Amino acid sequence: MKKSIKFILTGVLALAGMTARADEGMWLPSLISQRIVDMQEKGFKLSAEDIYSINQASLKDAVVLFGRGCTGELISPEGLLLTNHHCGYSQIQQHSSVEHDYLKDGFWAMSREEELPNKGLTVSFLERMDDVTEYVLKGYTPDMTEEQRVELVKKNSQALIEEATKEGNGLRATVEALYYGNQYFLFLYREYADVRLVGAPPSSIGKFGGDTDNWMWPRHTGDFSMFRIYADKDNNPAPYSKDNVPYKPKKYFHISTKGVQEGDFTFIYGFPGSTKEYIHSEGVRYIEEIGDPHKINLRTLRLDIMNKYQSQSQKVRIQYSSKNANVSNAWKKWQGEVKGIKKMKTVQTKQEFEKAFDRWAKGGEFDGVIGKLAALYAELEPYQFATDYYAETVRTVEVANVAMSVARLFLSGHEDGLVTFDQEKAKELLDAFYKDWYLPIDKESFVAVMNEYEKNVPADFKPSYYKEKLASYGSIEAWAEDMFTNSIFIDQAKAEALTAADKDAVMNDPAVEFFNEFLKWYATDIQPVTTRINRELDLAYRDYMRGQMVYCRTQRVPKAFYPDANLTLRVAYGHIKGYSPADGTYYLPSSTIKGIMEKDNPEIFDYNIPQRLRDIYAAKDYGRWADATGEVPVCFIATNHTTGGNSGSPVINADGDLIGLNFDRVWEGTMSDIVFDPEICRNIALDVRYVLFTIEKIGGASYLFDEMTFAE
Ligand code: ARG
Ligand code: GLU
């Protein structure tokens, strides 16, 4: 069986090289030699070894996983790193206070001493990646159940990880499944934990356009921030210390200020998080018709409530700015995704493919897999629906969340019957909570989402606790009234005065009870079933994935096969290109500072730019950052296939130099996590010249240019 997988993969990839649809795909860097000819035909001037090598410094050594879900890149021999403003957001916020509001005013270290350490922030360099399929499946026999296989994979992976990291030194390893477990790779990272904030523009630049412009083109957001990696004297990872020195990278990006033109080759090197390009039509139908629409509706209700109160009070606006951005980000993406799936007729296209596949599969290895997947999805649907509702209703009640977290700090079961309570930890949790909590928002949201829950979730999929409680209250409104009047947790002073003696009171608190009863129901009635079905789905998908490859190869169906994104390093390549979002409209591929001025409006928070930028514009004081038209370039779009996690990824030109910083996708193309349309799908990047312009003209920190290399 192993041999056949390898054979299929090689065969299919060779075919994919000839027939892959333009620009779709997130490719494994260690296998990039299979794509390099195509890349070079499209304009790339470097070699596969320049992209990924374990024998010499290569571009991969200049790319890092930033934190737990973004990408960053090295831009100087002294550890200077570039990523998005929204990726460094929580660090920038952490250092901000009323006196030093770095979110509002921006921050620039004027010397190394002024750079700010960030507890908990790490960056990881990929040392190497290796196909370990053979080792991971050692001992596997076809008569094993999926549970046994999962156990075996876990055990073998653990052994590999231990072996790979035994020398210590900040090495971190993971084993990841690709193609639904048809292939396994070991990823070995070197993780640095002393990463300091060097600079960030004011939010009015770094978050310009806010959630109004989020996921949209044309765009004018200066979404960047800068950090520096520190290491011990031997350039090895070390926890924060005053004695640490700037990290010396094996490789860093040279910066091209030559500018970009429609048609130019671009390549994105980064850590895309998650895609589902090969799923069955029923999986897509659920997302399009059920999952996304319900989740969108629930979030619309919450956002309306947040927006109402945020527009009434400056204080509430700040308290809910980050929460609002988080809720709104996926909310807006899902809407684009649904529209895109509909427009592409993805369900129908997949059904036709599945019909043909099924006919072809009769009597062979893949016979019945289509029907199996359909049956599993039918079984999963009500459980998935209940899970989605639970996640977007009960689990979004803020006071219930914090109440449960505090309840968990009571520990009993000691032999002497003693109860302990970590008061310090509780205070920490509660302080952070009350700082950004506004009761009327939480209460109104509770009423809004729980009424939807009542209306839309079938009785069989509701906990009996809920049904009894609702019957005794008579309405969701009455329930809210009780919880938001009588819970200990609506009162900061009371909550912060809790001691070990209050365990019973806390366990019977209406907010704790609400959260806890749902939690127990989910753990017993829902999760075991979804886990079981998902295991069976994994098994069926493993076959279907291989089946799709064999089918497309033997039937000469042109289709690109690349492993779904899983937060491992990938290469996506394409070119700079505009698009037509709708009939009669065409969007150009780049934006300039002129567009910022057109949007500028002191009355609207998202569009109120710094006065300094207005003055610069009026005086046309652009220094060397104007383009051929005399304006400062701001953003551009390209056909690279990206997803969440690619934020902060370097955008690289044909010569391997840095021309921009990825930060978003266009709204009409957000279905690309499921289906990619080369006509519409575009990633959005910040032009590196706007980064440099902002550092110099707004930040007054052009001393940083001295350590950069410009590829003129
Ligand atoms: N849409 C971008 C991404 O998916 C940017 C998100 C941050 N900005 C925001 N307004 N929430 O993550
Ligand atoms: N903003 C996203 C991120 O944080 C990238 C946009 C996308 O989903 O493509 O990774």
Side-chain angles (χ1 to χ4, degrees), residues 28-29 52 54 60-61 63-72 122-130 160-161 163-178 185-193 236-237 247 250 269-273 565-570:
L28 292 172
Y52 176 95
I54 50 171
K60 84 156 170 52
D61 300 311
V63 182
V64 295
L65 176 66
F66 182 87
R68 275 175 309 156
C70 276
T71 305
T122 59
V123 298
S124 304
F125 291 86
L126 180 67
E127 289 271 302
R128 58 183 300 147
M129 52 189 288
D130 295 296
L160 276 169
I161 288 169
E163 176 63 26
T165 54
K166 65 171 190 272
E167 63 170 274
N169 245 346
L171 286 181
R172 180 169 67 80
T174 64
V175 172
E176 306 290 344
L178 301 173
F185 265 78
L186 175 77
F187 294 85
L188 190 61
Y189 299 96
R190 196 172 293 277
E191 188 173 275
Y192 286 79
N236 283 321
Y247 167 73
K250 286 187 226 160
Y269 212 168
F271 289 87
N566 58 354
L567 209 63
T568 58
L569 191 60
R570 302 296 176 92

Side-chain angles (χ1 to χ4, degrees), residues 69-70 86 215 642-647 663-665:
C70 276
H86 78 261
W215 299 112
T642 55
T643 188
N646 271 123
S647 275
F663 71 97
D664 212 356
R665 269 177 292 167

Side-chain angles (χ1 to χ4, degrees), residues 672-701:
S672 65
D673 292 347
I674 293 162
V675 56
F676 187 88
D677 179 359
E679 294 301 317
I680 301 283
C681 293
R682 299 288 179 269
N683 65 306
I684 306 181
L686 179 58
D687 192 305
V688 76
R689 291 169 295 173
Y690 187 56
V691 173
L692 300 167
F693 164 87
T694 305
I695 294 173
E696 179 182 330
K697 297 288 180 178
I698 306 289

Side-chain angles (χ1 to χ4, degrees), residues 245-348:
V245 293
Y247 167 73
K248 290 186 191 48
K250 286 187 226 160
K251 186 91 184 171
Y252 65 93
F253 284 102
H254 295 185
I255 296 171
S256 167
T257 58
K258 274 184 297 203
V260 299
Q261 298 270 307
E262 179 138 25
D264 283 357
F265 173 86
T266 59
F267 131 46
I268 306 266
Y269 212 168
F271 289 87
S274 156
T275 58
K276 309 183 185 69
E277 310 287 347
Y278 309 102
I279 58 173
H280 185 272
S281 57
E282 279 300 287
V284 182
R285 188 189 57 78
Y286 178 82
I287 293 170
E288 176 192 332
E289 292 178 4
I290 302 172
D292 277 2
H294 279 274
K295 292 191 291 187
I296 292 163
N297 170 48
L298 289 165
R299 289 198 176 198
T300 304
L301 296 169
R302 287 164 65 207
L303 285 166
D304 285 348
I305 294 162
M306 275 189 241
N307 290 337
K308 178 179 78 184
Y309 286 106
Q310 281 182 281
S311 67
Q312 287 169 7
S313 146
Q314 179 79 347
K315 184 170 170 220
V316 178
R317 187 182 59 65
I318 295 169
Q319 285 181 315
Y320 276 74
S321 64
S322 176
K323 291 176 191 174
N324 191 317
N326 281 336
V327 176
S328 152
N329 194 41
W331 168 80
K332 197 161 176 182
K333 192 213 136 172
W334 291 329
Q335 294 175 59
E337 185 171 80
V338 169
K339 274 183 79 137
I341 295 171
K342 278 204 167 72
K343 190 164 168 214
M344 295 278 291
K345 297 193 168 52
T346 304
V347 172
Q348 197 185 319

